[in-house]
Amino acid sequence: MLKTRIKRGPKKQFGQNFLTNKNVVKRMVETASVTKEDTILEIGPGKGTLTENLLLSGATVYAIEKDRDLIPGLKEKFSEYIKNKKLILIEKDIRDINLKSLKLKTGSWKLVANIPYYITGEIFRTFLENKIQPSSMTLMVQKEVGQRVVARDGKESILSISVKVYGKPTLVSYISRGNFFPAPNVDSAIITITNINKDFFKGFSEKELFEILKTGFAHKRKFLFSNLSSIISGEKLQKAFRKANIPLNIRGEDLSLSQWRDLAASI
Ligand code: SAH
């Protein structure tokens, strides 16, 4: 009887689009300025293409992979690194990872990953808002997400401001779909967020700022003032706008980062 070998293809539900172009992988590692002193967290090592380049730079890598079928291949490929504790391979959903249990310390590690796009928003939120923040994040994201994060069209969004309050985002390069297998239905971009910290929050909390942001962007066509008046009384709001020197007829997308700060501090 013929032995049938089950060959499992990439899994769509896990957002598996493996990088096939070595130059793109190198570009990511260079962008993150990875050195041998670095501790890197990689989400979704997949078949280990990016992982390998991170390890070659001498860094210590924590790689978190949800798909258990990929674990044996990774264990085999990197057995030496695992033995030497340069690679810590963890089979888990990234959303269930407790950074404290990995013994990571605030600002002392970097996130580098070709992420599964279905959890892009969660990844931004989880790691930017975390008490144990990374010093930088270098990510492959969907092209439109990359453009929106840096506000390429000059219009801010809840996404761009939510990132900029924590760090400095840069769109490094567009990466076309042909650099992945299987090719996704969208093009991608490498972005990096550097200088991550929480210095922005002085005189108001993260929670307070995000409440204002969410409400301020709730109806895009309305003025910011009108959006915010659903949670703050008109009189108080007028005072705050005056104090922050912000015109009443401005839309959320036209407010700069420092104006958001002034407004949050005045409310
Ligand atoms: N880094 C590899 C693979 C990127 S594809 C490369 O560049 O080629 C995305 C990877 O994330 C896949 O390996 C997928 O199995 C994994 N993944 C998907 N959802 C995940 C989750 N919730 N937590 C951790 N890994 C996940």
Side-chain angles (χ1 to χ4, degrees):
M1 210 167 78
L2 276 175
K3 261 194 197 161
T4 42
R5 260 179 80 196
I6 303 168
K7 266 213 156 172
R8 295 190 179 87
K11 295 179 188 160
K12 229 181 160 165
Q13 77 272 24
F14 285 149
Q16 291 178 354
N17 300 101
F18 302 112
L19 272 167
T20 51
N21 184 341
K22 283 252 148 72
N23 292 327
V24 174
V25 177
K26 284 194 184 128
R27 187 79 192 270
M28 288 189 75
V29 177
E30 276 164 25
T31 300
S33 329
V34 180
T35 72
K36 61 181 189 340
E37 325 297 341
D38 277 327
T39 301
I40 308 290
L41 184 74
E42 186 193 359
I43 302 165
K47 294 181 187 289
T49 318
L50 176 59
T51 321
E52 182 171 16
N53 277 263
L54 291 167
L55 289 167
L56 285 173
S57 67
T60 302
V61 179
Y62 288 82
I64 319 296
E65 177 56 63
K66 180 184 169 83
D67 183 356
R68 66 145 77 115
D69 291 336
L70 292 170
I71 300 291
L74 288 165
K75 276 193 174 154
E76 194 181 317
K77 184 172 171 139
F78 297 118
S79 60
E80 280 302 306
Y81 287 102
I82 292 173
K83 212 161 63 190
N84 299 334
K85 300 210 163 57
K86 291 302 279 184
L87 175 64
I88 297 93
L89 180 63
I90 301 168
E91 184 197 325
K92 219 170 184 166
D93 190 310
I94 188 64
R95 293 168 288 187
D96 299 331
I97 282 288
N98 175 350
L99 296 177
K100 213 169 165 184
S101 73
L102 300 185
K103 302 207 169 55
L104 295 177
K105 296 203 179 70
T106 309
S108 74
W109 61 282
K110 295 173 177 172
L111 185 68
V112 184
N114 169 21
I115 59 171
Y117 293 172
Y118 74 102
I119 45 171
T120 302
E122 273 173 277
I123 290 172
F124 279 128
R125 272 198 304 280
T126 306
F127 294 101
L128 289 171
E129 293 174 22
N130 212 290
K131 205 164 163 234
I132 307 177
Q133 286 176 309
S135 59
S136 70
M137 292 172 44
T138 301
L139 302 175
M140 184 74 75
V141 296
Q142 190 176 328
K143 179 180 167 186
E144 287 73 18
V145 172
Q147 291 174 329
R148 217 145 34 85
V149 167
V150 298
R152 202 187 66 120
D153 58 0
K155 299 282 181 196
E156 302 292 350
S157 62
I158 188 155
L159 177 66
S160 66
I161 296 291
S162 307
V163 171
K164 289 175 184 179
V165 295
Y166 292 107
K168 184 177 172 295
T170 312
L171 202 160
V172 178
S173 176
Y174 293 127
I175 306 294
S176 67
R177 60 194 77 185
N179 292 291
F180 302 84
F181 178 81
N185 296 328
V186 293
D187 288 317
S188 296
I190 300 174
I191 63 162
T192 184
I193 305 168
T194 52
N195 199 17
I196 296 175
N197 60 64
K198 297 202 183 192
D199 295 351
F200 190 81
F201 303 95
K202 282 192 189 113
F204 53 90
S205 67
E206 288 173 75
K207 196 166 164 257
E208 283 165 343
L209 180 82
F210 282 111
E211 197 178 347
I212 298 172
L213 275 181
K214 240 185 261 160
T215 317
F217 279 111
H219 306 281
K220 233 187 124 197
R221 302 198 185 286
K222 282 193 188 172
F223 289 135
L224 176 66
F225 187 91
S226 155
N227 275 328
L228 288 179
S229 58
S230 69
I231 53 163
I232 301 162
S233 79
E235 200 183 331
K236 195 173 169 208
L237 208 51
Q238 279 203 15
K239 253 194 201 155
F241 268 63
R242 208 175 307 125
K243 193 167 166 215
N245 203 13
I246 292 167
L248 296 180
N249 60 349
I250 193 169
R251 292 192 169 77
E253 61 186 24
D254 294 317
L255 224 64
S256 70
L257 184 65
S258 60
Q259 285 177 309
W260 279 109
R261 184 188 48 216
D262 293 346
L263 183 63
S266 306
I267 283 175

